Structures are given as C-alpha cells and as structure tokens.
Amino acid sequence: RCLIMLHDLHQHMTLPSCHRNIEFLRSSLLFFMFTVIDDVKSLRAVVNPDISKIRNIGIMAHIDAGKTTTTERMLYYSGYTRALGDVDDGDTVTDFMAQERERGITIQSAAVTFDWKSHRINLIDTPGHVDFTLEVERALRVLDGAVAVFDASAGVEAQTLTVWRQAEKHHVPCVCFLNKMDKPAANFSIESIRQKLKANPVLLQIPLGSGKNFTGVVDLLTNQKLTWQQRSMGDDGRVFESKPLDQSDDPELLQEVSEARAALIEQVADLDDEFAELLLTDFSDNFDAVPSVKLQEAVRRVTLARKGVPVLCGSSLRNKGVQPLLDAIVAYLPAPSERRWYKDDLCALAFKVLHDKQRGPLVFLRIYSGTLKPQTAVHNINRNNTERMSRLLVPFADQHVEIPSMTAGNIALTVGLKQTVTGDTIVSSKASAAAAARRAQDDSGMGKKRGEHAAVVLSGVEVPDPVFFCTIEPPTMAKQADLENALNCLQREDPSLKVRVDPDSGQTVLCGMGELHIEIIHDRIRREYGIETHLGPLQVAYRETILHEASATDTLDRTIGERRHIVTVELSVRPVDISSTTDSCKSAFTEEDGEQLSQEIKDAVENGVQSSYLQGPLLGYPLQGVSTLIQSVNTEPGTSPAMVSACVSRCMLKALRLAGGQVLEPVMSLEVTVEEEHLSSVLGDLAQRRGTVRDIQSRHDNKVLLATVPLAEMMGYSTILRTLTSGNATFSLELDTYEAMNPQDQNTLLKRMAGL
C-alpha cells in the first residue's frame, strides 16, 4: 500500500505549487515504511525451536485484575505490536469482539504466539467472568502452565478461587503476578494466597516503593535492583535500569532484601531435597553464597512439582515489571510434555471452534505429537470419520498467518475440519490410532482378542451444567430456520450453551451459564446473523390433577349429511398417587363393556380419553395422577369412531370439572455449595422462595445445602446467589417431582394467568 501511495505521489510531482508538500509526504512515507519494517516482527518469523523451548501458557484471574493489559504488554515488549493497546480505548489485540470492546471485558479466550529470548510462547488470554468459565476450563485443558494475575489491592477474589481450582484439577503449574502495585491501596501481602488458595507462595521479588511511588522491584535470586524511570507520560517501559544492590542503597531496603532472600533459600530447601543437600554440603557456612543459577533451578523444580508457586509483582498499566514476568515464564513454567502412545505419529486435541464467514469453521488444535501439515487428511477418533484439512494458521487473536507446517507442543488453527467439535482427538489415520491402542494395551498388560483394541483418546473438555434458562423467539416464522442455524453454529463454538425445545410449550429454550452469557449470545445473533430475536422468561410446565372421584354421562346426537351419529358415554374419574414424575394417567373398561365393544370403538374411546389428558380443566395443562373407568358406551349403527372420541372427550371434561381441579407445580432438587460464612443468607433466601431444606453436609471447607424448591421461584437465582455470596457459591438443579400447590398460591397463579 505504501509503495502504491509513493507511485501516486511521484505522478503528481510535476505540480510546482504542491511540490514541497508532496516531497515532505514522500519522505514521511518512506520513514514510516522502514520504521514499520524494522520495528514490528512478523508472525512468519516467530522462532520454531526445540520442544524444550516452547511454553504454552494461559493468563487467568478475577474480573479486572489486568489479564488483557498484561498480555498487551507482553506482545509489545516481545516486538509483535507497534503500540500499547488499552482496554478502556478498546484497541487491545486479544479483545477483538465488538462486545468485548464495548464492555471492556474479555468474553472469549484468544490465542497469540510470540517469542521471547529464543523461546516460543503460545499464550491464551482467558475471561475472568464466571459466566465464561468454560473458556478457562478448555484453555487450561491444553496448556502446560498458567500465570495467575492478582489485583494487589484486592488479593484473592471469588473468580480467582474458581480458576485456581480449575488449574489444580488439570495439574497445571502456576506463577503468580501481583498486578496494580501502583494503586494507593496496594498491599504486598501473600497471606491471602496461602490461606484462601491453600498454596505455598515462593516470593521472588520485593517492590521498590508503594502506590504512586512504586518504581520497580528487587530480584531476590540475583540481588538486582530493576527500576523503571517514567520520564514522560508516553514512556512505554521498554527500557529499564538493572543494577546490583550495594552499600550505598537504603539500609532498610538492604535489611529487607537480606531477610527475604534468607527466607526464600530456607523455604526452597524445605521443598526441594536436592537443593537442601547442596546447601548442607557446599554452603553450610554461608547459605547466602549459593549461586543464583542453582537457586533458580531449585525454584523451577518446586514449581513443576506444584509444591510452590513463584510470586512476582508489577504494574502492567504503568509498564513496570512485565519483562521479569516473561523471564519467569521461560524459567519456571514447563515445556510441553510428551505423549508416549502415539510416538512420532500425529496426535492433537481440538479444544475450541470459531466460525468465520469466509473460511467456515476454524478449529484450534493442541498438537501433542507428530507434525501437522495443510492439505492432508486426518482421522477424528471421536466421530470416527476422516476429514481433509485445507489450511494451517498461526493464531494471533483475530489475525492469522498461514504456515506450511506445525510441530509437536504448539497450538495451531486449522481450516476445513467441518465435523470436528470441542474435545475431539485428531490423529493421522485409523492405522495410527490402532497402533497406539496396541501399545497402550501391551503396556497395561490387558489381554484382549485381536480386533478388540479400544482407541486411545485424549480426555475431552468438561462442560459445566447450565444454570440460567430463558426462551428465544424469532421475529417471524420465516426466520425460524435462520435462527436454528445460528444457534447450531453458536452451540458448536460454545459447548456451555445448550438449546432445547420444550415439549409442553413448544418454546425454544436457551440454557446458559448466566444472564451476561445469554445477553452476549443474543447480541451475537443480532450482529453476526442479522436476526432480531426476542428473549422471554421460561414458562413453567405445570401439571393438573383432580381432588375427588366423579362420574358423568353425555350423549352426542349429530346428523352430518344423511348419516345420524348417536353415542351415549358413561364414565368415572378418580385421583391416583402422583409420587412419580411420569404422567401416571390410566384408563380401563368395565369387564362387561370391554367384551361387548369392537376394537375400533375401543380405540376411539382410548383416543378421546388420552386427548382429554392433554388439557386439564383449570389452566389447560396436561393431567397427571388420574384414572378413568369407562362404564358404558352405547352407539347406534353407522356412528363413526370420530364421533365416539368427541363424545368421550366432552364427557371427560364434564367429569373432571365435577371432580375439582388441583394445579401441580414442578419442584426442583437443589444443591448449593457455599462457604459457611454465607450459609445463613442463602438459607434465608431459600425460605422466601418456598424452599424446604432436606440436609446440610460438609465438603472440605464448604457446606453443601440440599433442598427442594418450586421451579417458579428459581427464575434468576444464579444472579441472586452470586450477589449473596460474593460469587463464592455454585449450585445445580434437576427435576425432583410434581407437588400440589397450596390454595393461596394456586389462586394467585389462576388470577395471574387470567390477566387479573
């Protein structure tokens, strides 16, 4: 583009009046071209080192701890972006969705690739909101290490606990970064990490100054003082001063560093036997003389064994402390581990799918072994099919660069895999999968017959159960097919979104992780698919039953054309036990009547009874717990079966009204996991929702509350529960049974349904 502009300028050089201006513009363009070429690295030039120099890491934290800002600084200092992006300005690399830029939050995880000191870093920036917890879950499933970012003024927060548990579940080693050290309330305290996360923090740095006076850190391993002197508002923090501590420094600082380093050496010696042996044999006279290289190796072993977590500090927004964090990622987090069953054959896990309007489905793969190349056929073990991969890309947020191949240990983006979904295992061929299965079987010593080999499949991504439900309707029926297509695409991208059709109301129900999750889905359908949908509350599927036994007789006398149809029906209805959740409605004939009636008339009577069960006498909801006895059916010759069914239905309605109607409401089995300090407020809220507590159990440090609550009272419960417990509680719901409503609640419901 720059060359074309230069050519155009050259064509206009003949105009004398603007000669000087054009010359200036041309020189500016040339300067811009060469600075761009010199300053910003190309993704094609990203290093492709040995597997030991690859780091697959994720950045995880609570909302607003500074994950995206930290990622932005990493990309800038590694030379892959030209300018520092800002979340508030909406110009960061990893937050590229319109919804992310409007709200200033991360909604979907974004992958970027860059290099730092001859190491290749594949980084995934994850969301902090609880509604998008699946994005963190599937990122951690394929990552080897993680950086947990903390707001130094807030410490460990609700979602920090959640993501930390997810990292522990996947055995992912972590590094902690105490961000926002420039805030006035910033407190360099690691006690909350020790108490709330039950982790063992290993302090590698201490801050220089606090609040506005925070200027840098002291590295306890090397006794180096790293300072960032902000000379102007536009200072990008790329240049910082590193010098060893000496006696001219503040005596209080020297004393603090000396004590902190001694505590670090002692702590690492307690956690790592090899380092403890080195201290006792070679440095027993003076522990402080231990070389920083040996100490760093010991910290790496402790981190990889997940016995401790290195803690660093800084301020990403003020461009301080990010380079040492990058050094720590390279030094302490693990290289990709090998997968032995597939040896050198391709084995990869699909962990995310995106839909691109031009390219179709884009599938993110984590390659565990072998090499991935475009224009090759790959076998999907989970779907048992073979697909051709057309193109291979390096992910860089929403900008992707095509490459000829990708080796083990990396994260790749593929085009052309139309059937693959999140959690699928991709291998080179069926034969490769069979060979891996044989190796696994031989190692385990399980003798199976030939041809009975089970495939060796990578464990997929665990999808949490939905907690928020609402209905979605298209603006017109003509848009129904488009809406279904949009929802299918979104479900493939986001497995935590589930769509079902309610069999009672016929509504399309969205099941998601929270109000914000559903709101984002609704907004994406409008923007990306151009459908103005309407969200509504979930209709509760009530049932009806009867209170007493009742009998009724009805005669139908109708002439249609030249035929006269006469039917007389006598029947009785009575209530039966409704303890089961199935539709326990039965019908029977008296012995005498059953023998006399033809099969055709019997079927017609049965149809009439069953159609009456679908619509109760009070609100028109399906009936449950009703037994019908057909006492007599008298028909004149020539009467059609349809007239018999109509007469039975009319007689049933008469009997059901005489028997007295009762509304049954769905009662849900609720399980809430909550900290003990919030238990009383959760119990108080359940009492207002007509809930009945069945049991309170203990699980680790939490309480598990088991209760039954009417579904009608659970609308928006996920939001209320998060408010009551500061986001520290989780819950699950499932249908337990149908119970009779008390008269007062039933009258309220009848009035509401009648519009009163």
Side-chain angles (χ1 to χ4, degrees):
R1 197 180 297 145
C2 289
L3 288 170
I4 291 166
M5 288 172 71
L6 277 170
H7 174 74
D8 291 345
L9 285 170
H10 187 73
Q11 296 297 312
H12 289 88
M13 285 289 286
T14 51
L15 298 171
S17 59
C18 60
H19 179 92
R20 197 171 297 164
N21 289 339
I22 288 173
E23 189 62 52
F24 171 75
L25 278 170
R26 189 169 71 165
S27 61
S28 300
L29 271 169
L30 281 166
F31 173 76
F32 171 72
M33 276 174 62
F34 290 116
T35 51
V36 168
I37 291 164
D38 288 346
D39 286 354
V40 182
K41 292 181 185 176
S42 164
L43 261 188
R44 295 179 196 282
V46 69
V47 292
N48 202 1
D50 180 67
I51 195 167
S52 63
K53 290 197 170 184
I54 296 173
R55 299 287 181 270
N56 293 314
I57 62 154
I59 293 207
M60 58 182 198
H62 188 80
I63 315 148
D64 282 342
K67 298 178 294 299
T68 303
T69 305
T70 304
T71 305
E72 197 66 27
R73 277 19 180 202
M74 288 178 176
L75 291 173
Y76 180 71
Y77 296 139
S78 61
Y80 283 86
T81 53
R82 188 179 300 114
L84 286 167
D86 195 318
V87 172
D88 296 333
D89 295 339
D91 58 358
T92 57
V93 172
T94 52
D95 285 356
F96 53 83
M97 283 173 67
Q99 292 89 343
E100 291 177 317
R101 295 193 162 177
E102 282 173 8
R103 290 170 170 80
I105 60 169
T106 303
I107 291 169
Q108 62 178 22
S109 55
V112 286
T113 301
F114 59 94
D115 56 59
W116 180 258
K117 297 187 177 176
S118 76
H119 286 70
R120 180 190 181 112
I121 297 176
N122 300 313
L123 181 143
I124 296 181
D125 178 26
T126 65
H129 203 285
V130 67
D131 282 25
F132 310 110
T133 189
L134 174 78
E135 292 287 340
V136 184
E137 178 73 25
R138 61 180 169 187
L140 289 172
R141 168 65 189 84
V142 296
L143 296 172
D144 304 305
V147 176
V149 181
F150 298 81
D151 182 338
S153 64
V156 175
E157 297 171 272
Q159 190 62 8
T160 318
L161 277 164
T162 307
V163 295
W164 193 268
R165 287 191 205 110
Q166 287 173 309
E168 283 189 331
K169 182 172 74 178
H170 293 291
H171 308 292
V172 174
C174 295
V175 167
C176 295
F177 181 61
L178 298 182
N179 192 23
K180 305 193 179 184
M181 287 299 295
D182 59 306
K183 283 177 105 174
N187 177 18
F188 189 69
S189 169
I190 56 173
E191 276 309 304
S192 64
I193 296 174
R194 187 175 283 115
Q195 289 171 6
K196 292 186 179 179
L197 301 182
K198 304 291 185 282
N200 200 349
V202 179
L203 198 60
L204 302 185
Q205 296 175 344
I206 59 169
L208 290 170
S210 60
K212 285 186 178 179
N213 299 321
F214 173 70
T215 56
V217 296
V218 175
D219 187 336
L220 296 178
L221 276 78
T222 59
N223 274 337
Q224 291 280 322
K225 186 164 76 166
L226 314 175
T227 50
W228 283 261
Q229 298 297 339
Q230 205 159 3
R231 295 173 184 84
S232 66
M233 288 298 288
D235 196 339
D236 60 10
R238 195 190 288 271
V239 179
F240 61 95
E241 185 183 5
S242 174
K243 64 175 185 178
L245 284 172
D246 55 38
Q247 296 306 312
S248 63
D249 286 304
D250 180 18
E252 283 185 17
L253 176 66
L254 291 172
Q255 178 68 20
E256 188 183 355
V257 170
S258 175
E259 288 173 4
R261 192 168 196 269
L264 169 65
I265 292 169
E266 188 180 331
Q267 185 184 10
V268 174
D270 286 343
L271 298 171
D272 185 67
D273 294 340
E274 190 181 325
F275 183 68
E277 195 176 326
L278 175 76
L279 282 183
L280 294 172
T281 51
D282 297 355
F283 303 98
S284 54
D285 298 337
N286 182 11
F287 287 171
D288 200 43
V290 67
S292 60
V293 176
K294 295 292 183 186
L295 183 53
Q296 190 179 64
E297 287 172 1
V299 172
R300 178 176 174 81
R301 287 194 297 272
V302 166
T303 309
L304 298 190
R306 295 176 56 250
K307 293 178 182 174
V309 285
V311 178
L312 298 94
C313 62
S315 171
S316 296
L317 187 65
R318 303 284 172 241
N319 313 318
K320 296 171 185 174
V322 178
Q323 293 96 325
L325 175 61
L326 280 165
D327 291 337
I329 288 168
V330 166
Y332 306 122
L333 291 180
S337 57
E338 294 177 10
R339 287 289 186 277
R340 53 185 175 156
W341 307 125
Y342 283 90
K343 295 197 171 176
D344 294 329
D345 288 338
L346 173 67
C347 177
L349 178 72
F351 68 94
K352 186 177 167 112
V353 179
L354 286 178
H355 275 86
D356 187 277
K357 285 182 179 176
Q358 279 76 36
R359 299 184 181 119
L362 305 177
V363 180
F364 283 83
L365 296 177
R366 162 68 199 271
I367 309 168
Y368 286 106
S369 63
T371 304
L372 204 58
K373 290 182 179 176
Q375 299 300 333
T376 53
V378 291
H379 180 66
N380 184 328
I381 298 180
N382 302 68
R383 309 271 154 236
N384 194 22
N385 66 1
T386 300
E387 295 186 275
R388 179 167 288 278
M389 185 177 58
S390 57
R391 296 166 71 193
L392 187 62
L393 310 165
V394 175
F396 195 79
D398 58 338
Q399 305 295 319
H400 313 303
V401 173
E402 200 166 342
I403 47 160
S405 69
M406 187 78 94
T407 54
N410 282 303
I411 288 169
L413 193 55
T414 61
V415 182
L417 303 181
K418 292 184 171 59
Q419 304 299 318
T420 304
V421 298
T422 300
D424 284 357
T425 302
I426 303 294
V427 295
S428 54
S429 64
K430 267 189 175 180
S432 164
R438 280 196 297 275
R439 287 187 210 111
Q441 188 179 305
D442 292 344
D443 275 23
S444 63
M446 291 168 64
K448 282 192 178 183
K449 294 177 187 174
R450 193 171 180 81
E452 285 188 21
H453 301 300
V456 178
V457 181
L458 298 167
S459 63
V461 178
E462 195 176 307
V463 180
D465 293 326
V467 296
F468 189 85
F469 308 89
C470 73
T471 60
I472 186 165
E473 303 291 342
T476 62
M477 286 309 293
K479 291 277 187 182
Q480 181 69 35
D482 294 340
L483 176 60
E484 285 173 9
N485 175 56
L487 290 173
N488 286 336
C489 290
L490 290 168
Q491 278 185 96
R492 197 172 162 203
E493 278 190 32
D494 182 0
S496 65
L497 171 71
K498 295 193 170 55
V499 180
R500 60 181 173 83
V501 176
D502 191 296
D504 292 313
S505 63
Q507 292 179 304
T508 303
V509 181
L510 292 186
C511 316
M513 301 305 297
E515 282 182 76
L516 180 62
H517 184 206
I518 297 296
E519 187 186 322
I520 297 294
I521 293 292
H522 184 225
D523 195 37
R524 287 189 64 189
I525 290 170
R526 182 175 61 83
R527 289 186 196 221
E528 294 173 27
Y529 298 92
I531 307 169
E532 291 285 348
T533 52
H534 308 292
L535 294 182
L538 190 66
Q539 284 189 12
V540 178
Y542 292 103
R543 295 282 187 271
E544 293 182 32
T545 191
I546 54 174
L547 297 170
H548 319 289
E549 189 170 345
S551 299
T553 306
D554 196 51
T555 301
L556 182 81
D557 187 345
R558 187 77 48 85
T559 302
I560 299 173
E562 295 179 358
R563 288 175 64 185
R564 189 178 180 192
H565 305 266
I566 302 175
V567 191
T568 303
V569 176
E570 187 181 345
L571 54 80
S572 63
V573 292
R574 64 183 181 87
V576 294
D577 182 35
I578 55 164
S579 57
S580 68
T581 54
T582 57
D583 292 345
S584 52
C585 286
K586 303 166 188 170
S587 61
F589 294 87
T590 58
E591 197 172 329
E592 184 186 338
D593 223 36
E595 291 171 358
Q596 290 176 356
L597 295 174
S598 67
Q599 189 58 45
E600 189 181 29
I601 297 297
K602 278 185 182 177
D603 290 344
V605 170
E606 191 66 35
N607 283 341
V609 172
Q610 292 303 326
S611 64
S612 299
Y613 284 157
L614 295 175
Q615 211 165 11
L618 282 175
L619 293 168
Y621 286 105
L623 282 160
Q624 189 171 311
V626 177
S627 177
T628 304
L629 180 65
I630 309 297
Q631 289 161 343
S632 73
V633 178
N634 297 314
T635 61
E636 292 291 324
T639 302
S640 72
M643 289 300 166
V644 175
S645 294
C647 184
V648 170
S649 294
R650 209 163 72 173
C651 190
M652 279 286 292
L653 184 59
K654 197 185 288 187
L656 290 168
R657 282 181 176 156
L658 289 170
Q662 168 70 58
V663 178
L664 305 172
E665 63 178 344
V667 175
M668 311 302 283
S669 177
L670 172 71
E671 183 181 303
V672 183
T673 306
V674 62
E675 291 177 355
E676 193 164 357
E677 61 185 285
H678 299 300
L679 183 62
S680 57
S681 55
V682 173
L683 286 169
D685 180 65
L686 277 180
Q688 293 177 354
R689 295 174 184 272
R690 298 189 284 130
T692 306
V693 177
R694 291 188 313 202
D695 194 11
I696 298 174
Q697 302 169 352
S698 294
R699 187 183 296 164
H700 306 304
D701 298 333
N702 295 326
K703 293 291 180 184
V704 179
L705 177 65
L706 303 175
T708 52
V709 195
L711 176 61
E713 302 291 339
M714 295 302 287
M715 299 301 166
Y717 184 63
S718 57
T719 310
I720 300 296
L721 185 65
R722 286 170 195 167
T723 307
L724 289 172
T725 62
S726 304
N728 282 315
T730 58
F731 78 98
S732 64
L733 269 181
E734 60 181 25
L735 181 63
D736 184 38
T737 185
Y738 276 88
E739 286 183 3
M741 293 182 80
N742 64 45
Q744 187 181 351
D745 292 328
Q746 182 168 316
N747 286 335
T748 307
L749 176 68
L750 292 172
K751 284 179 182 175
R752 195 172 74 241
M753 291 294 192
L756 299 174

